[in-house]
Amino acid sequence: MSDVSTLWFDADTHQYHWGPLRELAVELMSVSATLGYAGLVRTAYFTPQSRDRGTAVHALTEQFDAGLVDLSMLADDPLLPYVTAWAQFVEDTGAKFSRTEWALAHPDLGYAGTIDRVGTLLLQAKGATSGNGRSRVRRRCVVDIKSGVKTPTHPVQLAAYSALVTRQLVVQGEAPRSAGKLCRICVYLNKKGTYTVEDYGVGGEADVLWASALTVAKFRRFHKLTEGHDAA
């Protein structure tokens, strides 16, 4: 399985296009736009402040992981608590990331997205207790960073991202069964400098909901029913 096309991303408009040349590329829906068109996300309720904070937190955590900034350099930055929380998460889980802000496409399904992190984490093993010496195992994960509150759509969003990563791993030659074993992690950073983690597992209801959302979004776009509705 191989691709000869290229994914083109416009950061200003947050639009993705897929094709051999930019002028010949077709637009793909973003994950957030798909959820909006399907009626699962009301972006009208997002404030400019929350959007800007999310963008800035993502940029700072990316710079932190790349070793371009450390916590001492952010002493006067109001976003220091979020980066502090992220740094603690990385340390606590022994995170080893292979990909950061990875833009991927699923041209067969007509969507694309950017995954915050892909890599391995030390996570609690099923049935393990903290005192048995084998309480944690290293697992390959798709990680999404959040600086806001938890919502019911987050596992659906992660299902979309997981499918993108799985497809790309198969394109690169990995067996589908192995490529599909990606745990799905949301890391919620807060202004107190702490974090919480949600492990949304592998597969399940979220996959069904994502497939349904994609179908509804495509229907609404095809019939021009998306005007005036949410898309991010």
Side-chain angles (χ1 to χ4, degrees), residues 167-182:
R167 176 191 176 277
Q168 186 61 30
L169 293 175
V170 172
V171 166
Q172 294 173 352
E174 188 168 330
R177 185 174 181 180
S178 171
K181 293 181 179 179
L182 297 164

Side-chain angles (χ1 to χ4, degrees), residues 1-16:
M1 184 176 182
S2 62
D3 288 321
V4 295
S5 294
T6 297
L7 178 63
W8 308 85
F9 176 62
D10 187 326
D12 293 331
T13 62
H14 200 72
Q15 290 181 327
Y16 297 88

Side-chain angles (χ1 to χ4, degrees), residues 36 57 61 83 101 110 116 148 153 160 164 203 215:
V57 167
T61 56
V83 186
E101 297 297 326
D116 291 344
T153 59
L164 288 173
T215 300

Side-chain angles (χ1 to χ4, degrees), residues 174-189:
E174 188 168 330
R177 185 174 181 180
S178 171
K181 293 181 179 179
L182 297 164
C183 66
R184 304 167 187 181
I185 299 292
C186 258
V187 185
Y188 297 90
L189 312 177

